[in-house]
Amino acid sequence: MSFNLQSSKKLFIFLGKSLFSLLEALILALLPKPRKNVAGEIVLITGAGSGMGRLLALRFARLGSVLVLWDINKKGNEETCKMAREAGATRVHAYTCDCSQKEEVYRVADQTYKAFLPAMIANDHGHLVCISSSAGLVGVNGLADYCASKFAAFGFAESVFLETFVQKQKGIKTTIVCPFFIKTGMFEGCTTGCPSLLPILEPEYAVGKIVEAILQEKMYLYMPKLLYFMMFLKSFLPLKTGLLIADYLGIFHAMNGFVDQKKKL
C-alpha cells in the first residue's frame, strides 16, 4: 500500500512538472527572447582562419568579446586576428594549432573539453558550442565517415550537457548546431533537390543564426527549419515513406557532384 502511494505521488509530481514545463515553454515562445551580454567574455573559436570560424570571430568581435583564435593555418588565423581588431575587438589572441592532434591542443592553451570543463564547473559559468551537422541527425549516402563523426559530436555534446544538468551546473550552457550544407567550399559541388525547402545555406546567414542561438542560450539549432519537422517525421513514419521523402529532397544524390578539395590540391 505504501509503495502504491509513493508511486502515485511520484507520477502526479512528474505530470505536474511536465505540464508546467510545457506551459512555460509555450509562454516563452510568445515572448521576445532576451539576449545575454558576451562583452568581456572569452570566446575560443577553432578553425578561425577562414570560413565560418572567421565570420564567427568577426561577429563576436563586434559584441565586445575577448577572442582566442585557433587554426592550423597561421597566415589565415593572423588575418582573422587583424580583421577582428578592425571590427572592434580590443583583445584578440591568435594561436597556430592543429585541433586534430591532442598534443597540439594541450601545447597551445590546455583548453579542450577535458581541460576547460572542470574550470567551468568550478565557476558554474560557461557556454559550450558544438557545430555538428544535419549529417549528425540522419545518415547520408556517400557521407558515412562524415556522418559518423557528426553523430559522435552531437552525442558527446548532449551527454556533457546532461552531466552538467545532473550536477546542477545551471550556469553552464550548451548549444548544438546542425546545419545543412553551407557554401564554404567544403562541400563544393553538392546539391539539393528542393532549394525552396532545403536550401544550401549562405555562410553569413548561418553565422547570424548561430550567434543568435548562443545569445539566447538555445540548446538546439537546426538549419533550415525544415530539419525540425523532418526529425519529427523520422520518429514515427514508416521507413519507406521516409526514404521517399529523402529521395524527393534529393538527399540520395546530394554528393554526386562533390569536388574533393584535397584532391584538387
Coordinates of all heavy atoms in Angstrom, one line a residue, residues 61-98:
A61 N 33.6 39.8 -32.2 CA 34.4 41.0 -32.1 C 33.5 42.2 -31.9 O 33.8 43.1 -31.1 CB 35.4 41.1 -33.3
R62 N 32.5 42.3 -32.7 CA 31.6 43.4 -32.7 C 30.7 43.4 -31.4 O 30.2 44.4 -31.0 CB 30.6 43.4 -33.9 CG 31.3 43.5 -35.2 CD 30.4 43.6 -36.4 NE 31.1 43.5 -37.6 CZ 31.1 42.4 -38.4 NH1 30.5 41.3 -38.1 NH2 31.8 42.4 -39.6
L63 N 30.6 42.2 -30.7 CA 29.9 42.1 -29.5 C 30.8 42.4 -28.2 O 30.4 42.3 -27.1 CB 29.3 40.8 -29.3 CG 28.1 40.5 -30.3 CD1 27.7 39.0 -30.3 CD2 26.9 41.4 -30.1
G64 N 32.1 42.7 -28.5 CA 33.0 43.0 -27.4 C 33.6 41.9 -26.7 O 34.1 42.1 -25.6
S65 N 33.6 40.7 -27.3 CA 34.2 39.5 -26.6 C 35.7 39.5 -26.7 O 36.3 40.1 -27.6 CB 33.6 38.2 -27.2 OG 32.2 38.2 -27.1
V66 N 36.3 38.8 -25.8 CA 37.8 38.6 -25.8 C 38.0 37.3 -26.7 O 37.4 36.3 -26.4 CB 38.4 38.3 -24.4 CG1 39.9 38.0 -24.5 CG2 38.1 39.6 -23.6
L67 N 38.7 37.4 -27.8 CA 38.8 36.3 -28.7 C 40.1 35.5 -28.6 O 41.2 36.1 -28.5 CB 38.7 36.9 -30.2 CG 37.4 37.6 -30.5 CD1 37.4 38.1 -31.9 CD2 36.2 36.7 -30.3
V68 N 39.9 34.2 -28.6 CA 41.1 33.3 -28.7 C 40.9 32.5 -30.0 O 39.9 31.7 -30.1 CB 41.1 32.4 -27.5 CG1 42.3 31.4 -27.6 CG2 41.2 33.2 -26.2
L69 N 41.7 32.7 -30.9 CA 41.6 32.1 -32.3 C 42.5 31.0 -32.5 O 43.8 31.2 -32.4 CB 41.7 33.2 -33.3 CG 41.0 34.5 -33.1 CD1 41.3 35.5 -34.2 CD2 39.5 34.2 -33.1
W70 N 42.0 29.9 -32.9 CA 42.8 28.7 -33.2 C 42.7 28.3 -34.7 O 41.5 28.2 -35.2 CB 42.4 27.5 -32.3 CG 42.9 27.6 -30.9 CD1 43.4 28.6 -30.3 CD2 42.7 26.5 -29.9 NE1 43.7 28.3 -29.0 CE2 43.2 27.0 -28.7 CE3 42.2 25.3 -30.0 CZ2 43.2 26.3 -27.6 CZ3 42.2 24.5 -28.8 CH2 42.7 25.0 -27.6
D71 N 43.8 28.0 -35.3 CA 43.7 27.4 -36.7 C 45.1 26.8 -37.0 O 46.1 27.3 -36.5 CB 43.3 28.5 -37.7 CG 42.7 27.9 -39.0 OD1 43.5 27.2 -39.7 OD2 41.5 28.0 -39.2
I72 N 45.1 25.8 -37.9 CA 46.3 25.2 -38.3 C 47.0 26.2 -39.3 O 48.2 26.1 -39.5 CB 46.1 23.8 -38.9 CG1 47.4 23.1 -39.1 CG2 45.3 23.9 -40.2 CD1 47.2 21.6 -39.5
N73 N 46.2 27.0 -40.0 CA 46.7 28.0 -41.0 C 47.1 29.3 -40.3 O 46.3 30.1 -40.0 CB 45.6 28.2 -42.0 CG 46.1 29.1 -43.2 OD1 47.1 29.8 -43.0 ND2 45.3 29.1 -44.3
K74 N 48.4 29.4 -40.0 CA 48.9 30.6 -39.3 C 48.6 31.9 -40.0 O 48.1 32.9 -39.4 CB 50.4 30.5 -39.1 CG 51.0 31.6 -38.3 CD 52.5 31.4 -38.1 CE 53.1 32.6 -37.3 NZ 54.6 32.4 -37.1
K75 N 48.8 31.9 -41.3 CA 48.6 33.2 -42.1 C 47.1 33.6 -42.1 O 46.8 34.7 -41.8 CB 49.0 33.0 -43.6 CG 48.9 34.2 -44.4 CD 49.4 34.0 -45.8 CE 49.2 35.2 -46.7 NZ 49.6 34.9 -48.1
G76 N 46.2 32.6 -42.3 CA 44.8 32.9 -42.3 C 44.3 33.3 -40.9 O 43.5 34.2 -40.8
N77 N 44.9 32.7 -39.9 CA 44.5 33.0 -38.5 C 44.9 34.4 -38.1 O 44.2 35.2 -37.5 CB 45.1 32.0 -37.5 CG 44.3 31.8 -36.3 OD1 43.1 32.1 -36.2 ND2 44.9 31.4 -35.2
E78 N 46.1 34.8 -38.5 CA 46.6 36.1 -38.2 C 45.8 37.2 -39.0 O 45.6 38.3 -38.5 CB 48.1 36.2 -38.6 CG 49.0 35.4 -37.6 CD 50.4 35.5 -37.9 OE1 50.8 35.9 -39.1 OE2 51.3 35.1 -37.1
E79 N 45.3 36.8 -40.2 CA 44.5 37.7 -41.0 C 43.2 37.9 -40.3 O 42.6 39.1 -40.2 CB 44.3 37.2 -42.4 CG 43.4 38.0 -43.3 CD 44.0 39.4 -43.6 OE1 45.2 39.5 -43.5 OE2 43.2 40.3 -43.9
T80 N 42.6 36.8 -39.7 CA 41.4 37.0 -39.0 C 41.6 37.8 -37.7 O 40.7 38.6 -37.4 CB 40.9 35.6 -38.5 OG1 40.6 34.8 -39.7 CG2 39.6 35.7 -37.7
C81 N 42.7 37.6 -37.1 CA 43.0 38.4 -35.9 C 43.0 39.9 -36.2 O 42.5 40.8 -35.5 CB 44.4 38.0 -35.4 SG 44.9 38.9 -33.9
K82 N 43.7 40.3 -37.4 CA 43.7 41.7 -37.8 C 42.3 42.2 -38.1 O 41.9 43.3 -37.7 CB 44.6 41.8 -39.1 CG 44.7 43.2 -39.7 CD 45.5 43.2 -40.9 CE 45.5 44.6 -41.6 NZ 46.3 44.5 -42.9
M83 N 41.5 41.4 -38.8 CA 40.1 41.8 -39.1 C 39.3 42.0 -37.9 O 38.4 42.9 -37.8 CB 39.5 40.7 -40.1 CG 40.2 40.7 -41.4 SD 39.6 39.2 -42.4 CE 37.9 39.7 -42.7
A84 N 39.5 41.1 -36.9 CA 38.7 41.2 -35.6 C 39.0 42.5 -34.9 O 38.1 43.2 -34.4 CB 39.0 40.0 -34.8
R85 N 40.3 42.9 -34.9 CA 40.7 44.2 -34.3 C 40.0 45.3 -35.0 O 39.6 46.3 -34.4 CB 42.2 44.3 -34.2 CG 42.9 43.4 -33.3 CD 44.3 43.8 -33.0 NE 44.9 42.9 -31.9 CZ 45.7 41.9 -32.2 NH1 46.0 41.6 -33.4 NH2 46.2 41.2 -31.2
E86 N 40.0 45.2 -36.3 CA 39.4 46.3 -37.1 C 37.9 46.4 -36.9 O 37.3 47.4 -37.1 CB 39.7 46.1 -38.6 CG 41.2 46.3 -39.0 CD 41.5 45.9 -40.4 OE1 40.6 45.3 -41.1 OE2 42.6 46.2 -40.9
A87 N 37.3 45.2 -36.5 CA 35.9 45.1 -36.3 C 35.5 45.6 -34.9 O 34.3 45.7 -34.6 CB 35.4 43.7 -36.5
G88 N 36.5 45.9 -34.1 CA 36.2 46.5 -32.8 C 36.7 45.7 -31.6 O 36.6 46.1 -30.4
A89 N 37.3 44.5 -31.8 CA 37.8 43.7 -30.7 C 39.0 44.4 -30.1 O 39.9 44.8 -30.8 CB 38.1 42.3 -31.1
T90 N 39.1 44.5 -28.8 CA 40.2 45.1 -28.1 C 41.3 44.1 -27.7 O 42.4 44.4 -27.5 CB 39.8 45.9 -26.9 OG1 39.0 45.1 -26.0 CG2 38.9 47.1 -27.3
R91 N 40.8 42.8 -27.5 CA 41.7 41.8 -27.1 C 41.5 40.5 -27.9 O 40.4 39.9 -27.9 CB 41.5 41.4 -25.6 CG 42.1 42.5 -24.6 CD 42.0 42.0 -23.2 NE 40.6 42.0 -22.7 CZ 40.3 41.4 -21.5 NH1 41.2 40.8 -20.8 NH2 39.0 41.5 -21.1
V92 N 42.5 40.2 -28.7 CA 42.4 39.1 -29.6 C 43.7 38.3 -29.6 O 44.8 38.9 -29.6 CB 42.2 39.5 -31.1 CG1 41.9 38.3 -32.0 CG2 41.1 40.5 -31.2
H93 N 43.7 37.0 -29.4 CA 44.9 36.2 -29.3 C 44.8 35.1 -30.4 O 43.8 34.3 -30.3 CB 45.0 35.6 -27.9 CG 44.9 36.6 -26.8 ND1 45.9 37.4 -26.5 CD2 43.8 37.0 -26.1 CE1 45.5 38.3 -25.5 NE2 44.2 38.0 -25.2
A94 N 45.8 35.0 -31.2 CA 45.8 34.0 -32.3 C 46.8 33.0 -32.0 O 48.0 33.3 -31.7 CB 46.0 34.7 -33.7
Y95 N 46.5 31.7 -32.1 CA 47.4 30.6 -31.9 C 47.3 29.6 -33.1 O 46.2 29.2 -33.5 CB 47.1 29.9 -30.6 CG 47.2 30.7 -29.4 CD1 46.0 31.3 -28.9 CD2 48.4 30.9 -28.7 CE1 46.1 32.1 -27.7 CE2 48.4 31.7 -27.6 CZ 47.3 32.3 -27.1 OH 47.4 33.1 -26.0
T96 N 48.5 29.2 -33.5 CA 48.5 28.1 -34.5 C 48.4 26.8 -33.9 O 49.2 26.4 -33.0 CB 49.9 28.2 -35.3 OG1 50.1 29.5 -35.9 CG2 49.9 27.1 -36.4
C97 N 47.3 26.0 -34.3 CA 47.0 24.8 -33.6 C 46.3 23.8 -34.5 O 45.4 24.2 -35.2 CB 46.2 25.1 -32.4 SG 45.7 23.6 -31.5
D98 N 46.8 22.6 -34.6 CA 46.1 21.5 -35.3 C 45.2 20.8 -34.3 O 45.7 20.0 -33.5 CB 47.1 20.5 -35.9 CG 46.4 19.4 -36.7 OD1 45.2 19.4 -36.7 OD2 47.2 18.6 -37.3

